Amino acid sequence: MGCQRTDCIEKPLSNLFEKFGRIVGTYPVWFFVITLIVSGILGGGFYFLKDREDNDIERQFTPRSGPSKIARAFVKENFPNDDTEFSSQRLYEEGNYASIIMVSNDKSNILSTENLKNIIKVNNKVIDISVDVDQRELRFSHLCAKTNGHCVSNEILDIIDFNASRIEQTNITFPLYTHKSRQLFLGSAIGGVQANVKSEVKSAKAVKLFYFLESHTTRAEAWLKEFQRILSDERDNENIKVSYYTSQSKQEEIEKHTTDGIPLFSTTYALAIAFSVISCLRLDNVRNKVWVAAIGVLSAGLAVLSSFGLMFYIGMPFVITVVNCPFLILGIGVDDMFIMVSNWQQTNVKDPVEKRMAHTYKEAAMSITITTLTDVLGFYIGLMSDFPSVQYFCLYTSTAIIFCYIYNITFFGAFLALNGRRERSNRHWLTCMKIPSENPKECSNGYSMCCVGGNYDKATGTEKEQPINHFFKKYYGPFLTKPWTKVIVIFIYAGYLAASIYGCFQIQQGIDLRDLAADDSYVIPYYDNDRQYFSSYGPNVMVIVSEKFPYWDKNKRSELLSCMEDFKKLQFITDDLYTSWLDYYEGYARSTHLNIDDEIVFSANLFLFLNLYPDFKQDVNFTSNAIHASRFFIQTVNIVNASMEIEMVNSLKETAESCSVVPLIVYHPAFIYYDQYAVIVSGTLQNIGVTTAVMLIIALLLIPNPLCSLWVTFSIVSVIVGVTGFMALWDVNLDSISMIILVVCIGFTVDFSAHISYAFVSCKKSSVNERIVDALFTLGYPIVQGASSTILGVVVLAASKNHIFRTFFKIMFLVMLFGLIHGITFLPVFLTLFTRNSEKQKSDLKKDFKSGVMPQMKLDKKCVACDNKVFVTDNVCNDKHTICTQKTHICVIQNKNNLSHTIWATDPDCP
């Protein structure tokens, strides 16, 4: 089908930018200085940086309206923590605690007498830790969580009564062991257990100790800091491997590494400047654009300074994910700079600077406006995310992109005009001294290399083609348009798509809390040991009856217990470790011959029962002689990765919903983090879907060809599928971090495809092959430069110790690589295959030839063949009609005086 042009918006905007470019070219100093002043004022917002830091893990990296947060509020209201009868399984929050995992250095039995002596020694050292708070010396015994007036101790040490030699006479059963008429659960105390058929422990690989503290935050924090300091010395213990962790570790680690990106950004900035300078380096001493490149990078830096400063002024929280933003902005800014420089080089060097700026802005500003709009809208759509860390990243980045765009067309454009004035005066790029444009005969070649410049293409009046532009025009473009090349490209694309789709089905969900710590953090060995030795037993989950229920009704009670049985039938639930106050109450009733099927008897004796079993007192909200809520506990097993966590949470919630007798809620403090699984996929798909639709609308409005707009949208979808699939193959999970970058992926894909598509449809040539070659000649090199600069902008993150930064690098690398391949390979081929030649233009030209009439074309100097255009005139034949006749590969242009100009032509449509 023929391409219908829809330039009702594009054309007036282009004219507007043309006028603005002329204004910038006329008053460059004002635009340059005002931008510097504004940047300085806004940059003052960095004074508030420390006050704006907010890296609360729960608040930033979990869904804002997660169902587990609602469940926690219910638990907190109905089952408040009892400071006098501490129970770790009944906490509605993680609480304050420290933990140690000890493994034998030679991987022998950790429960040997010698190893236990070392464990007791470490334990005593922890118990003896003291801190000064409010001029009081506080030891662990003052701060510990208590039950029955005593500190909560560790089961394994209780069993041997803190005497290592007793282990030889003790037969410990696993996972349950009865000690002094109390049944102890050892699943979280000893790991890597080998037991006999009687469940008696023969050996174990690891021991985990817990030290629970009171809820007083300030005093607990002081003790935990001292704990970390003391235990850091134990990591070098000669006899056992000691790893440790506290309830503050996650938060401390992420806060510690929030500013790790700053030195990396310094390195990136230096790399970007070096790359830009090398890319814009010219051997011509006048046309050299070293300073233009440096100012282009500076412009991106000022955009970050201004946008961040503005965000700090208005009080926006600064989250660790935002640290990735400057790397993005640097890539975007440098990409836009290359586009503007490329269009500047295609203007006539003899034209006034104002005219050259007008022409540059007419072509380049429209292109970067499309990409800026798509990027900004993509990030604003990211504000719909339920993750605050994603929202703040999108807010900071979208604001920075806006500043980057404004500074590109003002600050950078102003310097481009100033540099244009230097070039027009034929001044040296370094000394600004006037130099000759041609080497005097009496001077050496060395003089020519350093003191001569200002050369240009005399035929076109533009700057000389760069070698890489020549490569795209003479080699790569024609090669890509060959039929057999297109077949190969299609097969390569099919392979790419197949691998991408396969990867999409392998993707894992969720952020591992281990990944929030740096690689060299003290918590990494703890996480690894915990997963290796203690993953057999997962969270002890609460099953909550959330409203009043007739527990005395035998039938109803039976239905409720049937619902509990459904939970115990799940594959990752063990029925041996089920805790139920109701089961115990029924047993108590049988032993005391009570008829609890009677409401009065049930309620009258419940209070006595709860006093006899104080732990269960925390499981029943029994007030005003009514049970408003109660809870039971089920033990999960073999939850070793995110996939199992997802399956566990979903199965538990489905089982709770299937109970028709009463509404049930399942909860554990870890579920706050598991909530991300419920929204990651749906949120990502929603953001991608909405963003892609918006991109399509923008492309339809601003790219004057609806078919090519659809191809831009196709590129977006194709790159997203590729990035998603290959990031799974590169061991990158789909989490709140990667979710951000997939939104970024859309914007950058539009950058690549929109530039090429816009150049393709704007080309006046009739042949689709020639149009794509012309588009690659014009923008192929700037696109390669932009992709390369962005990769350079993030490559230093690959060396980061922080998983968040490395994830950012991996996905951005995939985005740039696939976006570049689509922009200069896949999309050009598809555009030539699915876009027809311009029939109207060909028919009009043929009609003109048949009638002997040629439209007047005003070109200076002489008759030339520019960009394979056949129809050319010069000053001699300006007012003459011309006729074109074909002689194999030669087109002869004749005027009515029969004066002819013979030129070589490769245009297949030359009649």
Side-chain angles (χ1 to χ4, degrees):
M1 58 177 288
C3 291
Q4 301 299 316
R5 299 180 67 84
T6 55
D7 56 1
C8 55
I9 295 178
E10 180 265 345
K11 189 172 182 179
L13 278 177
S14 293
N15 293 334
L16 184 64
F17 281 121
E18 183 178 16
K19 294 177 181 177
F20 183 70
R22 191 178 298 276
I23 294 171
V24 174
T26 306
Y27 308 103
V29 175
W30 284 102
F31 285 96
F32 192 82
V33 173
I34 290 173
T35 302
L36 287 176
I37 294 172
V38 171
S39 297
I41 294 171
L42 292 176
F46 273 81
Y47 174 80
F48 303 101
L49 173 59
K50 277 293 178 186
D51 298 332
R52 302 294 183 253
E53 288 186 12
D54 181 2
N55 287 299
D56 184 278
I57 294 177
E58 181 184 314
R59 183 162 56 245
Q60 299 297 344
F61 292 95
T62 62
R64 193 187 298 273
S65 56
S68 294
K69 291 181 179 177
I70 299 172
R72 181 177 60 187
F74 182 88
V75 174
K76 183 177 181 179
E77 179 183 354
N78 288 274
F79 311 105
N81 295 336
D82 188 345
D83 292 335
T84 61
E85 293 295 334
F86 178 84
S87 173
S88 59
Q89 76 175 140
R90 291 172 169 83
L91 294 176
Y92 55 79
E93 290 181 320
E94 193 176 28
N96 294 319
Y97 69 93
S99 180
I100 306 173
I101 295 178
M102 285 171 277
V103 182
S104 174
N105 273 336
D106 57 4
K107 296 187 178 180
S108 61
N109 182 15
I110 193 66
L111 297 180
S112 67
T113 302
E114 192 61 34
N115 283 332
L116 283 173
K117 285 180 180 179
N118 288 305
I119 291 172
I120 293 171
K121 189 182 297 184
V122 173
N123 176 74
N124 291 338
K125 185 178 287 190
V126 173
I127 299 300
D128 290 338
I129 293 175
S130 63
V131 292
D132 291 326
V133 179
D134 298 330
Q135 299 182 341
R136 287 182 58 200
E137 184 181 13
L138 299 175
R139 304 172 69 84
F140 177 72
S141 58
H142 299 118
L143 303 172
C144 65
K146 296 179 174 63
T147 181
N148 294 324
H150 300 286
C151 291
V152 175
S153 58
N154 288 284
E155 292 88 349
I156 190 65
L157 299 181
D158 281 344
I159 291 171
I160 61 173
D161 200 21
F162 295 85
N163 186 344
S165 60
R166 289 195 177 183
I167 192 67
E168 303 295 338
Q169 294 82 39
T170 307
N171 290 324
I172 301 175
T173 56
F174 184 85
L176 294 174
Y177 178 75
T178 303
H179 177 65
K180 295 180 181 179
S181 72
R182 289 179 59 231
Q183 198 171 51
L184 304 177
F185 172 64
L186 301 179
S188 57
I190 52 177
V193 173
Q194 290 185 346
N196 59 21
V197 292
K198 296 180 180 179
S199 298
E200 294 174 343
V201 176
K202 292 302 180 183
S203 67
K205 299 295 185 184
V207 165
K208 185 194 290 187
L209 304 181
F210 284 97
Y211 302 90
F212 291 100
L213 303 177
E214 62 180 16
S215 57
H216 192 290
T217 306
T218 306
R219 302 197 306 182
E221 284 181 359
W223 190 90
L224 290 173
K225 287 183 184 298
E226 185 65 12
F227 169 87
Q228 291 180 29
R229 190 187 69 79
I230 296 295
L231 265 292
S232 62
D233 298 333
E234 291 296 327
R235 294 173 71 180
D236 300 323
N237 193 300
E238 295 179 358
N239 303 302
I240 54 176
K241 294 179 182 177
V242 177
S243 57
Y244 59 97
Y245 181 85
T246 77
S247 52
Q248 296 180 343
S249 294
K250 291 194 297 286
Q251 193 61 46
E252 287 177 349
E253 283 298 300
I254 198 168
E255 288 177 353
K256 188 193 307 182
H257 299 289
T258 300
T259 56
D260 280 0
I262 294 176
L264 294 176
F265 183 65
S266 303
T267 305
T268 298
Y269 205 79
L271 283 174
I273 291 176
F275 174 78
S276 302
V277 166
I278 292 171
S279 297
C280 294
L281 194 64
R282 307 287 184 268
L283 297 179
D284 190 294
N285 289 306
V286 172
R287 308 298 174 200
N288 198 352
K289 293 182 172 54
V290 169
W291 298 120
V292 171
I295 293 299
V297 177
L298 176 62
S299 177
L302 291 178
V304 172
L305 180 73
S306 302
S307 58
F308 277 39
L310 177 61
M311 293 292 102
F312 295 151
Y313 273 130
I314 62 179
M316 285 295 108
F318 182 73
V319 189
I320 189 171
T321 51
V322 176
V323 177
N324 294 303
C325 171
F327 300 95
L328 274 180
I329 302 305
L330 191 57
I332 293 172
V334 172
D335 181 28
D336 290 347
M337 174 197 75
F338 287 137
I339 297 295
M340 291 188 70
V341 170
S342 175
N343 280 274
W344 167 267
Q345 290 175 156
Q346 294 175 48
T347 60
N348 194 312
V349 299
K350 294 301 181 182
D351 285 341
V353 170
E354 295 82 357
K355 185 176 180 181
R356 295 185 71 184
M357 288 294 293
H359 179 78
T360 299
Y361 273 54
K362 182 178 182 179
E363 300 297 329
M366 193 64 221
S367 186
I368 67 174
T369 297
I370 295 173
T371 58
T372 298
L373 264 178
T374 54
D375 287 343
V376 169
L377 284 174
F379 281 109
Y380 275 137
I381 289 170
L383 293 175
M384 294 168 19
S385 170
D386 206 24
F387 294 89
S389 59
V390 176
Q391 292 176 328
Y392 291 127
F393 174 80
C394 291
L395 184 61
Y396 271 84
T397 307
S398 55
T399 306
I401 292 173
I402 292 172
F403 273 96
C404 186
Y405 172 72
I406 294 171
Y407 285 2
N408 256 311
I409 63 175
T410 54
F411 178 75
F412 175 72
F415 188 82
L416 191 63
L418 292 172
N419 189 70
R421 291 183 180 182
R422 177 190 61 76
E423 290 183 7
R424 185 170 175 78
S425 301
N426 222 70
R427 295 179 181 274
H428 196 280
W429 69 273
L430 182 61
T431 64
C432 284
M433 300 290 291
K434 281 192 174 185
I435 58 175
S437 58
E438 295 182 358
N439 191 24
K441 292 181 180 180
E442 65 275 10
C443 295
S444 64
N445 289 332
Y447 178 84
S448 174
M449 290 179 64
C450 68
C451 301
V452 175
N455 201 2
Y456 63 96
D457 190 329
K458 301 296 191 299
T460 62
T462 62
E463 294 184 24
K464 286 192 172 182
E465 289 180 13
Q466 297 304 305
I468 191 69
N469 293 99
H470 185 75
F471 166 78
F472 275 104
K473 180 178 180 180
K474 297 297 182 183
Y475 300 103
Y476 182 74
F479 169 77
L480 199 63
T481 55
K482 293 181 183 296
W484 59 269
T485 305
K486 295 179 183 180
V487 172
I488 293 174
V489 169
I490 291 172
F491 275 107
I492 293 174
Y493 179 76
Y496 156 83
L497 198 60
S500 301
I501 293 172
Y502 169 77
C504 288
F505 286 101
Q506 309 302 313
I507 198 160
Q508 300 293 318
Q509 294 182 50
I511 187 168
D512 191 336
L513 295 179
R514 179 187 187 277
D515 294 333
L516 295 177
D519 294 342
D520 57 356
S521 168
Y522 68 89
V523 305
I524 298 299
Y526 181 90
Y527 274 122
D528 292 341
N529 288 332
D530 190 50
R531 178 164 292 179
Q532 181 177 357
Y533 299 114
F534 296 95
S535 60
S536 296
Y537 293 93
N540 193 247
V541 179
M542 304 177 195
V543 180
I544 305 159
V545 178
S546 59
E547 62 182 37
K548 290 182 179 180
F549 180 77
Y551 296 91
W552 55 87
D553 186 318
K554 186 176 182 179
N555 293 330
K556 292 289 185 181
R557 189 167 69 242
S558 177
E559 289 182 50
L560 175 60
L561 294 177
S562 176
C563 290
M564 295 299 115
E565 288 298 320
D566 291 339
F567 282 104
K568 289 189 278 185
K569 291 175 184 176
L570 297 174
Q571 62 177 0
F572 43 81
I573 301 295
T574 174
D575 57 1
D576 297 333
L577 300 173
Y578 171 65
T579 305
S580 167
W581 68 270
L582 189 55
D583 285 359
Y584 271 81
Y585 190 38
E586 285 184 326
Y588 171 79
R590 284 192 297 271
S591 65
T592 55
H593 307 290
L594 295 175
N595 179 22
I596 58 172
D597 296 337
D598 180 87
E599 179 179 1
I600 297 176
V601 174
F602 185 99
S603 300
N605 288 275
L606 180 60
F607 183 75
L608 177 62
F609 166 77
L610 295 178
N611 284 331
L612 289 173
Y613 298 91
D615 282 349
F616 291 140
K617 193 173 184 179
Q618 299 182 55
D619 296 336
V620 183
N621 181 358
F622 185 50
T623 54
S624 302
N625 208 37
I627 301 176
H628 298 276
S630 72
R631 61 182 172 183
F632 308 87
F633 294 89
I634 51 177
Q635 179 63 52
T636 61
V637 292
N638 300 321
I639 308 297
V640 297
N641 55 41
S643 297
M644 290 183 175
E645 290 172 352
I646 295 170
E647 184 182 357
M648 174 191 70
V649 172
N650 290 340
S651 297
L652 288 174
K653 290 183 176 179
E654 288 171 5
T655 305
E657 290 171 0
S658 67
C659 182
S660 58
V661 65
V662 66
L664 298 178
I665 299 173
V666 289
Y667 175 74
H668 184 275
F671 286 10
I672 299 293
Y673 301 99
Y674 296 170
D675 279 348
Q676 61 178 311
Y677 302 137
V679 297
I680 281 288
V681 174
S682 59
T684 302
L685 292 176
Q686 172 185 296
N687 286 344
I688 289 175
V690 174
T691 307
T692 304
V694 171
M695 301 304 144
L696 173 59
I697 294 171
I698 292 173
L700 286 170
L701 291 174
L702 297 181
I703 298 178
N705 186 304
L707 186 60
C708 292
S709 300
L710 292 174
W711 279 112
V712 171
T713 308
F714 160 79
S715 295
I716 292 173
V717 175
S718 179
V719 173
I720 288 173
V721 172
V723 171
T724 304
F726 279 85
M727 81 180 197
L729 300 176
W730 205 352
D731 295 326
V732 177
N733 287 2
L734 181 62
D735 53 33
S736 58
I737 308 300
S738 52
M739 181 171 152
I740 297 172
I741 310 169
L742 283 175
V743 176
V744 176
C745 173
I746 299 173
F748 276 100
T749 305
V750 171
D751 286 0
F752 295 122
S753 55
H755 289 320
I756 286 292
S757 297
Y758 184 78
F760 176 79
V761 300
S762 300
C763 182
K764 305 300 181 184
K765 295 180 180 178
S766 58
S767 165
V768 291
N769 285 340
E770 286 186 313
R771 286 157 65 187
I772 206 63
V773 169
D774 190 70
L776 288 169
F777 164 65
T778 305
L779 290 172
Y781 183 39
I783 286 176
V784 171
Q785 285 177 310
S788 303
S789 64
T790 304
I791 290 174
L792 275 177
V794 298
V795 73
V796 295
L797 297 178
S800 172
K801 296 181 294 184
N802 193 291
H803 168 81
I804 292 177
F805 295 152
R806 289 199 305 275
T807 297
F808 191 83
F809 157 72
K810 288 181 179 181
I811 303 181
M812 282 306 301
F813 177 79
L814 292 175
V815 170
M816 290 299 109
L817 179 64
F818 294 153
L820 176 63
I821 294 173
H822 277 72
I824 65 173
T825 304
F826 293 149
L827 185 59
V829 167
F830 293 142
L831 285 173
T832 59
L833 289 175
F834 296 95
T835 307
R836 287 187 179 183
N837 294 330
S838 178
E839 298 294 340
K840 183 178 186 304
Q841 185 175 355
K842 288 193 290 186
S843 63
D844 289 346
L845 291 172
K846 288 178 181 179
K847 189 185 298 182
D848 289 338
F849 278 116
K850 288 177 181 178
S851 64
V853 177
M854 270 286 293
Q856 180 178 335
M857 301 179 67
K858 294 185 178 179
L859 295 179
D860 293 333
K861 303 292 182 180
K862 58 186 179 179
C863 191
V864 293
C866 179
D867 295 337
N868 293 330
K869 290 179 181 175
V870 174
F871 315 115
V872 291
T873 58
D874 59 15
N875 291 336
V876 176
C877 56
N878 258 348
D879 300 318
K880 310 293 183 182
H881 296 304
T882 57
I883 303 172
C884 178
T885 59
Q886 182 178 11
K887 295 182 179 179
T888 61
H889 296 294
I890 304 175
C891 283
V892 180
I893 310 300
Q894 292 182 317
N895 60 29
K896 287 195 172 180
N897 294 327
N898 209 28
L899 298 175
S900 64
H901 300 277
T902 304
I903 61 171
W904 289 93
T906 57
D907 186 351
D909 293 318
C910 180

